[in-house]
Amino acid sequence: MISYDDTIAAIATPPGRGAIGIVRVSGSAALAIVDSIFVSRRGKSLADRKTHTLTFGKIKNDAITIDEVLIGLMLGSSSFSGEDTVEIYCHGGNVILQQVLNLIVQYGARLAEPGEFTRRAFVNGKIDLTQAEAVSDLINAPTELARRAAVSQLEGKLCVPLNEIRETLIDILSELEAEIDFPDDVDDSSNERQLLIIKLNQISGKIKFLLKNADTGRILHDGFQIAIAGKPNAGKSSLLNRLASEERALVTDIPGTTRDTLEVDVNIEGFPVRFIDTAGLRSAKGKVEQHGIDRAMKTIDASDMVIWVSDISKKPLTKKPVLPKEIKDKSKIIWVWNKCDLPCKPTKTFIEELSELCHSIYICALTGDGISDLHNLIAGKLNKKKIVAEDDVVLMRTRHINLLEKVSHLIQDSLKLLNSNTLIELIVMDVRDSLKAIGELTGDITTEDLLDKIFSDFCIGK
Ligand SMILES: Nc1nc2c(ncn2[C@@H]2O[C@H](COP(=O)(O)OP(=O)(O)OP(=O)(O)O)[C@@H](O)[C@H]2O)c(=O)[nH]1
Ligand SMILES: [Mg+2]
């Protein structure tokens, strides 16, 4: 089990060369440890310096100078982690940073686990669990929209309404328990119940508001996946290269060129979109191709949308348009007719009938014609999910969404029970379970296992 009493240390900047590299130390011995290896220019000890100051000097291993550095002090509860924190701003070289870190460990600190500084901020009550998770989401934000959502969660846009919900639930619980313990003291029970219904409806409204943008949040956090699929030689890889604006995939006139899946991440109107090129679908001509086709099928199933590419210069296989059987969820299809520079083989009626079945777009991957139409169609679909107001709450993590949906169901259940005049004890159980779920969300009720799971996704030094 992780100990919160040790002093921890880590390199907080990414590996590689840079102007500055930072070693971070946090815990009760942080000041003393760094003081043992630091000589300030004016010869003053760090213990004599005030919090939130910078001190210039050298990190020394006995008589040997390791680097010239600046030391940042953030002491006591005013630091990010809520305990004495010392940051050493070194020159940004791996050897320097590793030497400084080794010295600090030699003098009594231990290496920090991923996210341990933030975990301490949570344990020391500086932030709640949703804010701790927002720190990681902010660092990992793939687009501006995702950054905005994470920063507003860090500022408390989620924990404030959650605390309001918790307070109302506690209120409701104490009233219900009073009714059980002292039934004779309740003057007008129908009036009491009316008040409870109003309070439960208020909570329900708040949860609805919080969950309103959950679809958008999931995409901002997990990304939106679009498979590019179709028959061999239709131009799937050429389209991927156009969307990526670089030659990522191999393109040849040999059917069956692409075997493995190939991913490209693109920012579309603030949404992180992942396009995946796949092997052309046909009866495989060998083991390797078959593996590729299996992967393509799995990718189609797992994707949020599928771009089905067809060669417009080829005669359609069927008289009437039929949506591809390879795509189970037909609502995911965007049909892209490629090679529009060549003569068009499908009849006008065929194309018209097809456009009634799904979205159809006409492109020429060779010249780039029509690519902007495809881009706009995808952007339009994503924009429907866009956050309405800039300061709206956007739940991004499945953990948050699932727990809030659970509370929402419990509240609906309580309302039904109240309206049907059931035993108060049953309603009390629902309200207690709701409180527990809210506690799990904010981290008031948690386990070391859950914390291990959440913080293991963080970077070291954060
Ligand atoms: N005339 C014309 N040729 C195209 C166009 N797009 C792609 N091609 C050509 O079609 C051939 C196949 O293109 P690819 O992008 O490799 O097709 P694919 O669907 O990825 O094929 P597989 O990987 O074999 O399934 C290549 O010779 C491309 O140059 C287009 O818009 N017009
Ligand atoms: Mg290909």
Side-chain angles (χ1 to χ4, degrees):
M1 211 179 96
I2 201 162
S3 156
Y4 297 115
D5 299 327
D6 310 343
T7 294
I8 52 170
I11 298 170
T13 38
R17 283 186 309 154
I20 292 167
I22 302 173
V23 177
R24 208 175 200 192
V25 194
S26 180
S28 54
L31 199 60
I33 291 173
V34 179
D35 235 350
S36 332
I37 57 169
F38 177 69
V39 180
S40 82
R41 186 164 55 180
R42 301 210 168 126
K44 262 191 165 183
S45 141
L46 286 175
D48 297 329
R49 300 284 289 154
K50 284 195 185 128
T51 184
H52 291 80
T53 52
L54 287 175
T55 311
F56 179 72
K58 289 176 181 174
I59 295 288
K60 292 228 166 204
N61 184 5
D62 295 328
I64 302 162
T65 301
I66 307 291
D67 193 12
E68 290 195 337
V69 301
L70 263 178
I71 303 276
L73 291 188
M74 284 141 287
L75 303 178
S77 59
S78 60
S79 76
F80 169 70
S81 63
E83 53 191 24
D84 285 358
T85 302
V86 182
E87 285 182 356
I88 308 171
Y89 307 104
C90 310
H91 290 98
N94 283 336
V95 177
I96 304 165
L97 293 168
Q98 203 54 56
Q99 286 263 11
V100 173
L101 182 64
N102 289 348
L103 269 177
I104 290 166
V105 170
Q106 225 170 288
Y107 277 84
R110 76 161 161 83
L111 295 177
E113 299 288 328
E116 202 174 346
F117 295 87
T118 315
R119 187 165 175 163
R120 288 189 172 198
F122 163 70
V123 170
N124 291 327
K126 298 279 297 184
I127 48 176
D128 82 348
L129 198 51
T130 64
Q131 288 171 304
E133 288 167 308
V135 171
S136 165
D137 294 340
L138 184 58
I139 292 172
N140 293 321
T143 65
E144 167 57 15
L145 215 53
R147 181 203 62 76
R148 234 166 58 189
V151 92
S152 85
Q153 193 168 308
L154 182 60
E155 285 177 326
K157 284 257 163 60
L158 179 55
C159 67
V160 170
L162 288 182
N163 284 332
E164 288 168 5
I165 292 173
R166 186 186 30 219
E167 270 162 31
T168 317
L169 282 169
I170 291 173
D171 215 26
I172 293 172
L173 190 63
S174 62
E175 281 169 36
L176 289 171
E177 282 173 341
E179 207 174 318
I180 295 171
D181 294 341
F182 313 103
D184 299 337
D185 291 357
V186 181
D187 308 331
D188 181 352
S189 79
S190 75
N191 207 9
E192 282 286 321
R193 290 203 166 201
Q194 231 19 68
L195 275 174
L196 284 181
I197 289 173
I198 291 173
K199 282 181 186 165
L200 286 168
N201 274 323
Q202 272 172 353
I203 295 178
S204 179
K206 273 192 182 144
I207 294 177
K208 246 189 218 136
F209 180 76
L210 290 175
L211 286 173
K212 184 176 74 165
N213 296 312
D215 271 359
T216 310
R218 268 203 185 109
I219 296 176
L220 290 179
H221 193 261
D222 304 334
F224 191 76
Q225 185 171 306
I226 305 182
I228 303 178
K231 301 285 168 209
N233 246 6
K236 302 179 291 301
S237 302
S238 309
L239 171 59
L240 180 91
N241 290 343
R242 277 279 162 202
L243 291 163
S245 307
E246 57 175 316
E247 296 298 312
R248 290 292 304 277
L250 270 179
V251 168
T252 75
D253 57 2
I254 306 162
T257 301
T258 305
R259 299 292 176 94
D260 218 340
T261 48
L262 180 70
E263 301 174 355
V264 167
D265 293 327
V266 180
N267 176 344
I268 295 190
E269 309 254 330
F271 285 96
V273 177
R274 172 163 293 176
F275 289 100
I276 309 185
D277 184 21
T278 60
L281 302 174
R282 64 173 175 185
S283 23
K285 295 204 168 14
K287 210 166 155 185
V288 182
E289 190 175 1
Q290 188 55 55
H291 280 313
I293 291 175
D294 293 345
R295 273 194 185 185
M297 294 301 290
K298 276 193 193 132
T299 306
I300 289 173
D301 281 346
S303 294
D304 302 295
M305 198 183 265
V306 182
I307 293 178
W308 183 262
V309 187
S310 277
D311 182 342
I312 205 164
S313 70
K314 290 240 159 71
K315 239 176 131 357
L317 294 174
T318 52
K319 241 183 164 177
K320 284 205 160 269
V322 187
L323 293 179
K325 61 177 185 321
E326 291 87 348
I327 308 170
K328 289 185 201 109
D329 179 355
K330 308 288 189 232
S331 67
K332 296 201 292 197
I333 304 174
I334 294 183
W335 198 302
V336 169
W337 290 100
N338 186 33
K339 310 197 185 179
C340 284
D341 52 318
L342 301 177
C344 171
K345 285 285 163 59
T347 62
K348 207 168 155 241
T349 346
F350 184 95
I351 285 181
E352 273 169 11
E353 282 178 20
L354 180 71
S355 61
E356 280 167 21
L357 296 179
C358 66
H359 287 287
S360 307
I361 295 272
Y362 302 87
I363 65 160
C364 174
L366 217 54
T367 60
D369 278 353
I371 298 290
S372 59
D373 295 339
L374 177 61
H375 205 275
N376 290 343
L377 179 67
I378 298 168
K381 287 206 168 231
L382 288 169
N383 267 328
K384 274 198 203 140
K385 301 174 189 293
K386 208 163 185 165
I387 307 149
V388 194
E390 195 141 301
D391 59 348
D392 261 0
V393 187
V394 186
L395 294 191
M396 294 197 288
R397 290 191 172 226
T398 312
R399 190 183 85 83
H400 301 168
I401 297 167
N402 288 351
L403 280 167
L404 263 188
E405 279 172 349
K406 182 176 171 186
V407 179
S408 175
H409 289 136
L410 287 164
I411 298 295
Q412 290 311 318
D413 201 39
S414 309
L415 277 166
K416 264 192 223 138
L417 292 171
L418 261 177
N419 285 320
S420 63
N421 273 327
T422 328
L423 273 178
I424 288 270
E425 281 81 351
L426 291 178
I427 308 171
V428 165
M429 270 166 65
D430 278 351
V431 176
R432 280 212 183 108
D433 287 348
S434 304
L435 264 171
K436 187 167 168 267
I438 296 285
E440 284 170 28
L441 248 168
T442 56
D444 286 317
I445 302 170
T446 190
T447 61
E448 288 299 312
D449 283 351
L450 176 71
L451 294 183
D452 284 349
K453 190 165 169 279
I454 290 175
F455 288 102
S456 63
D457 285 343
F458 278 57
C459 13
I460 291 202
K462 185 62 233 175

